[in-house]
Amino acid sequence: MAIETIIHGSDLELHDMQGILIRGYGALPEAKYLLLGFEDRKLAKSYLKDMHLLITNGLVKPKDQAMNFALTASGIKTLGINEEDFSTFLREFKEGMTEPHRQFVLGDKGEFSAGNWDWGQPGGEKVDLLLMVFAKDHELMEKILDREKERMERFGVKLLHSLPTALLQDHKEHFGFRDDISQPRIKELAKTYQEGDFPAGEFFLGYRDLYDEYPLSPSVAEQEDSMDLLPISYENKQRKDLGKNGSYLVFRQMQQDVVAFWEYMKTKTISEEEAILLASKMVGRWPDGSPLTLCPDGPNMDLSQENDFNFWKEDKLGLKCPIGAHIRRTNPRDHLVTETNAKDSKEMAGKHRMLRKGRPYGKPLEADIDPLKMMMKADDGEERGLHFICLVTDIRRQFEFVQNSWVNFHKFGGLDQDADPIIGNHYQEGNLKTDEFSVPQFPVRKKYEKLPNFTKVRGGAYFFVPGMRAMKFLSKALE
Amino acid sequence: MSLIHRGLTLSFKVEENHLEQVNELLEAFNRQQPSKESLPDTFFISWLGVPPQVYAEKEKLPARILLMSSYVGSKRKHLQVLVEAIGEELRQVLAFTVGFPKEQITNKSLVRFLAKSSKFNTYYSGFKFISPKEVIPEKNLREWVYGWVEKQLQDPNFGTSTPQEIKDRIENAVEKDPNYNWAMKKPKGLGRSKWAMLSALGLFGLLMVLSLFIALVSIWWNLGSWVLLAWLFPFFIVSIFLLLVLLRKEENIEPPPIQVINDKDYLEIVSREKNKVVNEMTVIAPLKPGKFRRVFLAVSLRLVAMIRYFTYIPTVHTARWLQLDGGKRLVFIATFDNQSEAYAHDFVDSEQRSRNLAVIFSHVMGFPKTTWLIKRGENYRKDYMKGVRSFQFKTRFWYAFNTDLSVENLKNNRAFRLGLHKKMKEHEIRRWLLRL
Ligand code: HEM
């Protein structure tokens, strides 16, 4: 395997982390997400044991292939963890994404409801493990998949779903906008310190977080770790830390209706240029990625990866980037309408970040993802979207908070009936409406009504990504 | 008319064995909510039965029924409104309480009985000086003006008018419309209510300044018995300092362990928050052992009440804190936007707010230890969240005048209305128009 060792992150135990925590494997364009189900504890443990050497750790930067995995609550249980140890996992993880209250918090009702999902739905097949496979080309991917299928067969592990991915041109997502620009910088991984860098504990278990505390980490009783594989728990010295160098992974398969998206923009505007402007207002960046806050009058290629901007001073009223735009809702930076100054806003908003790792799937409506061309296209019947994946150490505070209070709460930022225009669940129920989008302008804001759901959830689950030692523990101990 | 928001807290002792019946009754009332017309001055009512709790491992604090309302205007009038609107329900519930007359009582006597059970509370409102009867008209006004402007925009000249011209035309239209011309007058009693709310703080400040002044002047002149006043300021400062030192000693007393909430109960309690915009929570916990804690908290609550005009907690509609049972129990209730899990973050996510709240919550069982009142230790945040949930109780009856508008909506509607009367500069008008 061709690899290159990375030099930063000396404060982190990179060798004990799975690589997905550290990188997105952007150099490996082929990726598949396999959803697996265990049938038998012993076999499941053997399957995991057999996988040790195949898992890519955080220290290496693979040039041809990589493989990482994560477990659901049922997967962890199948591996033999007892009730007391299981109880140390986060409540949201244990309850799962489809528990009725979690669904309420996530806004998964109507078209988003878990009952309509293709996988992960309540009463559906039990997903235990997510295998993430990355390769430099199709041929190698096929080879790895053959190997994995053979391993699955050998250990009686069922392949429930094989979710394809396909990177799009210029790092775009299917609506035609550049994605994957803004990521929180992790202090321990950065070459130089910048104000606003995040401590590793926000995303990796076993390190201090923004509260200068160790995030809640799953643990096991000391005597269960007779092989002494795990470090001592920070919470309780009589226990061993199963979470160290791991993370929680949120997976949401989000189907995108590209035709409906551009159709809406077209019907609400009088020119193609305006249609693109409206779509950009919804995202908060131009299709090329340049932020509206910095170039409100038109895209600027030089700023297509720019992420150094704020809202309080630059655009408090949302005249450039609307307060309800996707990027302003998912990361309000230094402007929360409910706060009285930029410093407090920044402090509050910073507590709700996540490391995004997802990839698009499906054939693009137009190969070059040009909005002008996509606007003209009829529905091709293909399914496409984004496998949204993010890593957090506190599912409720980070992912669910964003999804609940910022994305779907129609009152976010003092608005009236606006959920996130791109990913919000838009509906009307009695006098409750969440399907509007407001663009502040003179003399009064322009209100766009009856937004359809441009995205829909097709599947999802909460996973736990164990560190390398924890993986060994789960496969070898608890017999 | 006073537009000050106030909290009424009524507390009644009840036999523990009646508690289940009381809570069932309250839940039945909850299903048949009183009409909004019958409660014209009331924003919220939280009503529940609270089981006994143990103070300092030895003293049993009694079961209680708590009725907590948020209202605008006079307390006497509010009690009358309550009795008119939910008198029958009150009689049925109070029949279980200790000391409630066995025979049928008149509305007047009921009001008197309730008044006697009322407790001091420190109250916060996030949308000060708005009365319930103004909420819907102000919302409708803003929507109507928005629609009116949109219509005018069909005339291309309208959009090119100056901000001042647009404001003038809006004011004209409002003035002319018989449904909305009320908005051209300022809300009655607004200025007076602001002053009244500041009066306690003003009086306190005045006394302190006077005390300092007399102390200074008495160096040169003999002021007779006036000189006693000079001691007021130093007495206040020394008392607070002394209390702090005594508190510091009590902070070392290890509180008894608490029963931390389990996942099932946690889920059950958060699952009750089914409203899309406004929800509520009630937390009731014994204080940590130490008599100076009780005194310190009582003093703090009174000082906080005095500065409430200036306090700000984002996304909170109303909140209150009070001590019961000789100061051995703290009651905290809040109504807020969205969900409690998000709202609790508004407290702990901000360094400054979590420090301010430590002034109150650090005295309470289940909440993390602090030293010198506000210095927080390791795992403060995690333990704070556990503390909140471990002492949260189900509010069995909850009435809310408004469940559709967020605090920001309420404030925005009010600011738009007040703008109709204001002279503004061009950039201010532009901002004002964005409120539409
Ligand atoms: C099909 C679904 C989605 C699409 C098409 C989409 C699209 C985008 C685009 C185009 C950007 C701008 C690029 C960047 O700043 O990196 C962005 C940013 C972002 N998105 Fe999404 N997104 C989707 C789902 C989600 C979900 C489910 C979440 C989380 C709840 C989310 C959270 C974020 C965050 C945190 C940012 C960065 C904002 C910033 O820091 O400025 N996205 N998304």
Side-chain angles (χ1 to χ4, degrees), chain A residues 31-43:
Chain A
K32 271 252 157 73
Y33 302 129
L34 310 178
L35 298 166
L36 314 183
F38 295 146
E39 286 187 348
D40 172 90
R41 168 167 309 160
K42 255 205 156 121
L43 286 172

Side-chain angles (χ1 to χ4, degrees), chain A residues 3-139:
Chain A
I3 55 166
E4 188 185 291
T5 305
I6 67 154
I7 42 172
H8 303 291
S10 54
D11 294 341
L12 303 176
E13 295 174 354
L14 296 177
H15 61 280
D16 191 40
M17 290 181 178
Q18 294 199 47
I20 190 80
L21 270 61
I22 305 300
R23 61 194 70 256
Y25 302 118
L28 306 175
E30 292 283 323
K32 271 252 157 73
Y33 302 129
L34 310 178
L35 298 166
L36 314 183
F38 295 146
E39 286 187 348
D40 172 90
R41 168 167 309 160
K42 255 205 156 121
L43 286 172
K45 291 178 95 69
S46 306
Y47 171 77
L48 222 58
K49 213 181 289 175
D50 185 66
M51 201 157 70
H52 286 171
L53 293 175
L54 301 172
I55 295 299
T56 317
N57 71 32
L59 203 58
V60 298
K61 191 173 179 181
K63 288 193 168 153
D64 47 13
Q65 59 175 290
M67 196 162 88
N68 288 142
F69 81 105
L71 295 155
T72 59
S74 73
I76 299 260
K77 274 188 161 167
T78 308
L79 289 169
I81 205 153
N82 65 32
E83 274 306 318
E84 193 200 338
D85 295 345
F86 182 68
S87 74
T88 60
F89 282 87
L90 288 182
R91 191 173 56 85
E92 298 77 23
F93 171 75
K94 287 178 284 183
E95 287 168 8
M97 201 180 264
T98 58
E99 186 283 324
H101 183 63
R102 301 259 72 75
Q103 287 272 288
F104 176 77
V105 166
L106 297 170
D108 288 342
K109 57 180 280 182
E111 287 188 314
F112 280 55
S113 164
N116 302 329
W117 293 2
D118 297 333
W119 63 270
Q121 71 276 35
E125 295 150 314
K126 185 171 71 75
V127 175
D128 292 317
L129 188 141
L130 164 70
L131 196 62
M132 295 167 275
V133 185
F134 304 87
K136 66 172 190 230
D137 56 34
H138 185 68
E139 211 186 319

Side-chain angles (χ1 to χ4, degrees), chain A residues 173-175 177-183 252 254-256 283 285 307 309 326-328 330-331 333 353-354 356 385-386 388 399 402-403 407 422-423 455:
Chain A
E173 51 68 46
H174 281 285
F175 293 139
F177 288 79
R178 190 181 175 118
D179 201 356
D180 207 14
I181 305 166
S182 174
Q183 288 282 19
R252 309 263 285 174
M254 304 196 65
Q255 186 183 344
Q256 291 174 258
V283 173
R285 290 182 182 267
N307 199 32
F309 61 94
H326 176 63
I327 67 157
R328 203 159 169 171
T330 50
N331 180 13
R333 297 176 186 238
R353 301 301 309 280
M354 44 207 155
R356 287 178 299 142
L386 178 75
F388 174 84
F399 168 69
V402 173
Q403 178 73 22
V407 165
I422 304 286
I423 60 165
T455 59

